């Protein structure tokens, strides 16, 4: 997926219009700051789709043809616009310049640096499917395995790492990392899950498995760490147990939704707190490991 900065850079000389939401009131398709780039050859990004986006694209194309440099719009999202959101947006359209490119590049770098980290520990069928499901989301994802030759034929853009002992990745991860554990071995799953839980600062710890597998792990964990309450932070099975479908792609889709809800909701809540300060068990099998 091409970033806005890359797209703008490729079309800066021939002409491009940046279309941005500078004000969003009430119910709107996108938030303040949402941006797309319009050129005579096509667009990149979105300000929410629908008639709002069609209307702004038409105006941007008019600006490209006439040489107009900037325009501001105040648009109610009601019947006249063919939208039923009911909110109102302020839109700014500007001819792309090098300063816009630099700003987009800086913003994209900042977003990448702030994206929640997800370590997928196990590059079997489900681990690979999960990496593919997450690669287009605003998450920093690394697929890790201890086996040679396990990282072949991965889609472009999926970061991967082979470690003799994947526990090293857990030990060196940043606070707030999410750990998804679905290796080829129950014993390795247990060791990785224990290490992730004992950190005490993970945003998410999930282990593929069944009710039996969870119970066995929990019994072992309590014997080894009787004073710890970290088990309350374990998600097992990953993806929930309300869909009885063990295909890797299905488990990956359910787990991806679970991670988005967990990580991005926490990220949003954390951002809101900063702004205010300034003013069960189930069943799931799959992957190489057997959910006993």
């Amino acid at each position: 997926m091409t970033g806005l900065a890359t797209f703008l850079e490729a079309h800066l000389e021939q002409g491009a219009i940046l279309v941005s939401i500078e004000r969003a009131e009430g119910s709107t398709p996108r938030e303040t700051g949402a941006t797309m780039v319009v050129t005579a050859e096509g667009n990149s990004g979105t300000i929410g789709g629908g008639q709002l986006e069609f209307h702004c694209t038409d105006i941007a194309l008019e600006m490209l043809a006439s040489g107009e440099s900037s325009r501001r719009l105040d648009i109610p999202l009601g019947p006249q616009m063919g939208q039923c959101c009911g909110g109102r947006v302020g839109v700014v359209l500007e001819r792309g310049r090098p300063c816009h490119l630099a700003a987009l590049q800086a913003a994209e770098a900042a977003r990448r640096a702030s994206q929640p980290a997800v370590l997928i520990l196990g590059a079997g069928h489900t681990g690979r499917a999960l990496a593919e499901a997450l690669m287009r989301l605003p998450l920093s994802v690394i697929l890790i395995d201890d086996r040679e030759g396990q990282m072949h034929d991965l889609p472009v853009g999926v970061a991967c790492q082979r470690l003799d002992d994947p526990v090293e990745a857990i030990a060196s991860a940043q606070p707030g990392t999410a750990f998804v554990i679905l290796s080829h071995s129950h014993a390795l799953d247990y060791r990785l899950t224990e290490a992730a839980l004992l950190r005490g600062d993970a945003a998410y710890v999930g282990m593929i498995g069944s009710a039996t597998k969870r119970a066995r792990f929990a019994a072992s964990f309590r014997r080894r760490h009787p004073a710890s309450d970290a088990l309350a932070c374990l998600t097992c099975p990953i993806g929930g147990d309300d869909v009885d479908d063990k295909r890797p792609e299905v488990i990956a889709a359910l787990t991806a939704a679970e991670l988005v809800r967990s990580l991005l909701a926490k990220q949003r809540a954390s951002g809101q707190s900063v702004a205010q300060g300034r003013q069960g068990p189930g069943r799931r099998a799959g992957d190489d490991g057997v959910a006993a």
Side-chain angles (χ1 to χ4, degrees):
M1 181 167 56
T2 302
L4 281 183
T6 301
F7 186 83
L8 177 60
E9 185 173 27
H11 295 87
L12 198 59
E13 187 173 340
Q14 73 182 59
I17 301 293
L18 275 75
V19 183
S20 304
I21 304 294
E22 68 171 356
R23 187 184 74 258
E25 301 170 355
S27 178
T28 61
R30 288 294 305 274
E31 69 286 352
T32 299
T35 301
M36 69 176 182
V37 177
V38 178
T39 73
E41 295 180 357
N43 303 352
S44 180
T46 178
I47 57 169
Q51 293 303 313
L52 169 66
E53 187 161 306
F54 297 151
H55 177 65
C56 291
T57 297
D58 288 342
I59 292 175
L61 292 173
E62 291 175 6
M63 292 173 62
L64 285 171
S66 68
E68 186 177 354
S69 60
S70 66
R71 192 186 299 192
R72 274 184 163 78
L73 307 173
D74 179 43
I75 304 175
L77 301 176
Q80 288 184 327
M81 178 54 62
Q83 300 215 202
C84 59
C85 303
R88 196 179 195 99
V89 294
V91 182
V92 59
L93 298 91
E94 297 180 282
R95 185 170 292 270
R97 301 192 301 276
C99 63
H100 295 127
L101 176 59
L104 283 176
Q105 290 170 333
E108 290 178 4
R111 278 196 296 273
R112 285 193 297 271
S114 66
Q115 287 178 167
V118 180
L119 297 189
I120 302 173
L121 295 138
H125 299 302
T126 305
R128 294 163 70 95
L130 180 59
E132 290 186 48
L134 297 178
M135 64 182 291
R136 292 184 178 273
L137 301 178
L139 301 169
S140 178
V141 182
I142 301 179
L143 183 62
I144 297 169
D145 204 281
D146 61 340
R147 297 168 291 179
E148 292 284 358
Q150 196 63 24
M151 303 298 188
H152 63 282
D153 297 332
L154 288 171
V156 175
V158 173
C160 56
Q161 187 176 9
R162 199 201 74 80
L163 294 174
D164 289 333
D165 186 356
V167 170
E168 296 174 10
I170 294 177
S172 61
Q174 293 294 314
T177 295
F179 302 98
V180 188
I181 295 146
L182 23 61
S183 81
H184 55 91
S185 159
H186 278 323
L188 182 55
D189 279 354
Y190 291 167
R191 198 159 67 89
L192 293 169
T193 302
E194 180 180 58
L197 288 174
L198 290 177
R199 282 183 57 110
D201 62 0
Y204 172 98
V205 179
M207 178 175 67
I208 199 166
S210 62
T212 302
K213 183 176 179 180
R214 181 188 176 107
R216 287 177 177 170
F217 172 80
S220 173
F221 188 90
R222 290 191 185 101
R223 284 195 303 270
R224 293 163 62 86
H225 310 284
S228 175
D229 60 358
L231 273 173
C233 300
L234 174 62
T235 297
C236 181
I238 56 174
D241 62 354
D242 57 328
V243 177
D244 190 17
D245 191 323
K246 299 178 178 65
R247 285 174 291 182
E249 295 80 6
V250 174
I251 299 174
L254 294 169
T255 305
E258 192 169 79
L259 285 165
V260 166
R261 289 191 181 96
S262 177
L263 298 179
L264 299 188
K266 288 179 181 178
Q267 186 182 50
R268 180 178 180 183
S270 175
Q272 288 174 341
S273 297
V274 170
Q276 289 169 357
R278 291 171 178 170
Q279 309 188 55
R283 64 181 183 279
R284 176 70 70 208
D287 207 9
D288 297 356
V290 179

